C-alpha cells in the first residue's frame, strides 16, 4: 500500500513540472499574439473570459482544470489570459490531485485483484484501501459537482454581461454581424 503514496508523489511532481513548463511557454510565446489578435474589441467573449480570469484567477483556473478539454488549452490558455503562476499551480493541484489519487488507488486495487486471482498476493483487498478508494471517489464527485455549480454560475454571469454590453453598445454588435455576413457573401 505504501507504493500508492510514492506513485501519488511522483505523479504530482511530474504533473506540476510539466504544467509549469507549459505555463511559461504559453506566457512567453503566445501571450503577445493572443493580445494582438484575440483580445480585440470585436471579440467580446475572449475579452470577457480574460477579464474573469484576471479578476478571479484561482476560481476560474480551478474550474478550467476540472473541465474536460484538451490539456493544452488549460496549460497554455490560462497564462495567456492573465492567470498568475501561483494560482495556476494551486488550481492544477486542486483539480489534479483527486484524479491522481483515484487512478493510483484504482490501479493498485486492480493489481491486487489480479495478483490474488493468480495466487501471488499474500493479502487480499485491505479494508483501509477500500475505505480510501470509496472516500476518494466520493470526494472526486463532490468536487466535480461544486465546480460544475460555479461553472454554470460563471457562464450565466458572462451571458448577463454580454447581454448588458449589447444593450449599451448595439451598434458595435450590429457592425460585427455585418462584417461577418459580408465575409461570407460571395461578391457578384
Amino acid at each position: 500500500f505504501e507504493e500508492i503514496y510514492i506513485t501519488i508523489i511522483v505523479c504530482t511532481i511530474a504533473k506540476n513540472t510539466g504544467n509549469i513548463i507549459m505555463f511559461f511557454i504559453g506566457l512567453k510565446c503566445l501571450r503577445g499574439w493572443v493580445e494582438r489578435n484575440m483580445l480585440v474589441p470585436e471579440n467580446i467573449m475572449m475579452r470577457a473570459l480574460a477579464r474573469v480570469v484576471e479578476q478571479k484567477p484561482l476560481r476560474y483556473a480551478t474550474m478550467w482544470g476540472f473541465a474536460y478539454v484538451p490539456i493544452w488549452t488549460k496549460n497554455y490558455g490560462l497564462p495567456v489570459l492573465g492567470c498568475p503562476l501561483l494560482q495556476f499551480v494551486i488550481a492544477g493541484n486542486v483539480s489534479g490531485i483527486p484524479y491522481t489519487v483515484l487512478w493510483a488507488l484504482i490501479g493498485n486495487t486492480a493489481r491486487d485483484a489480479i495478483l490474488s486471482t493468480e495466487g501471488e498476493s499474500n493479502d487480499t483487498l485491505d479494508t483501509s484501501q477500500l475505505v480510501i478508494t470509496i472516500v476518494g471517489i466520493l470526494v472526486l464527485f463532490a468536487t466535480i459537482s461544486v465546480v460544475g455549480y460555479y461553472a454554470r454560475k460563471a457562464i450565466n454571469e458572462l451571458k448577463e454581461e454580454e447581454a448588458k454590453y449589447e444593450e449599451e453598445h448595439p451598434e458595435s454588435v450590429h457592425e460585427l454581424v455585418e462584417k461577418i455576413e459580408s465575409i461570407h457573401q460571395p461578391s457578384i
Side-chain angles (χ1 to χ4, degrees):
F1 194 64
E2 292 79 27
E3 296 168 0
I4 290 176
Y5 298 119
I6 294 169
T7 301
I8 292 169
I9 291 168
V10 168
C11 289
T12 302
I13 291 170
K15 180 183 184 316
N16 278 313
T17 303
N19 287 351
I20 290 170
I21 289 169
M22 292 196 312
F23 178 93
F24 283 112
I25 290 172
L27 187 65
K28 299 298 179 192
C29 299
L30 299 173
R31 176 125 186 175
W33 184 88
V34 168
E35 286 176 349
R36 287 188 307 276
N37 297 295
M38 298 186 77
L39 298 176
V40 293
E42 296 83 22
N43 199 338
I44 298 166
M45 204 58 185
M46 265 314 266
R47 286 194 349 255
L49 184 59
R51 192 173 73 238
V52 297
V53 168
E54 287 176 356
Q55 288 175 350
K56 299 176 183 175
L58 185 59
R59 176 189 289 181
Y60 290 102
T62 304
M63 285 191 283
W64 205 332
F66 278 105
Y68 285 101
V69 296
I71 191 76
W72 62 267
T73 62
K74 300 172 188 184
N75 291 339
Y76 296 129
L78 288 167
V80 301
L81 294 175
C83 182
L85 179 63
L86 180 61
Q87 282 87 350
F88 176 81
V89 170
I90 292 170
N93 282 301
V94 168
S95 63
I97 288 177
Y99 289 110
T100 301
V101 171
L102 179 65
W103 301 135
L105 288 170
I106 289 172
N108 189 56
T109 304
R111 186 198 69 215
D112 287 350
I114 290 169
L115 290 176
S116 67
T117 61
E118 295 175 352
E120 296 180 26
S121 179
N122 55 2
D123 58 7
T124 59
L125 182 62
D126 187 292
T127 305
S128 62
Q129 281 182 278
L130 186 60
V131 169
I132 291 172
T133 302
I134 291 170
V135 169
I137 291 170
L138 292 174
V139 167
L140 176 68
F141 284 114
T143 305
I144 290 172
S145 298
V146 169
V147 169
Y149 166 78
Y150 282 112
R152 283 189 299 279
K153 185 176 175 182
I155 289 168
N156 290 335
E157 287 174 6
L158 280 174
K159 285 180 181 178
E160 289 173 10
E161 287 179 21
E162 188 175 325
K164 183 179 176 183
Y165 182 85
E166 287 177 7
E167 286 177 12
E168 293 172 356
H169 304 92
E171 67 286 346
S172 61
V173 174
H174 293 297
E175 290 172 8
L176 181 60
V177 170
E178 288 173 8
K179 285 181 186 177
I180 293 170
E181 288 175 349
S182 68
I183 292 171
H184 294 293
Q185 291 179 356
S187 57
I188 298 175

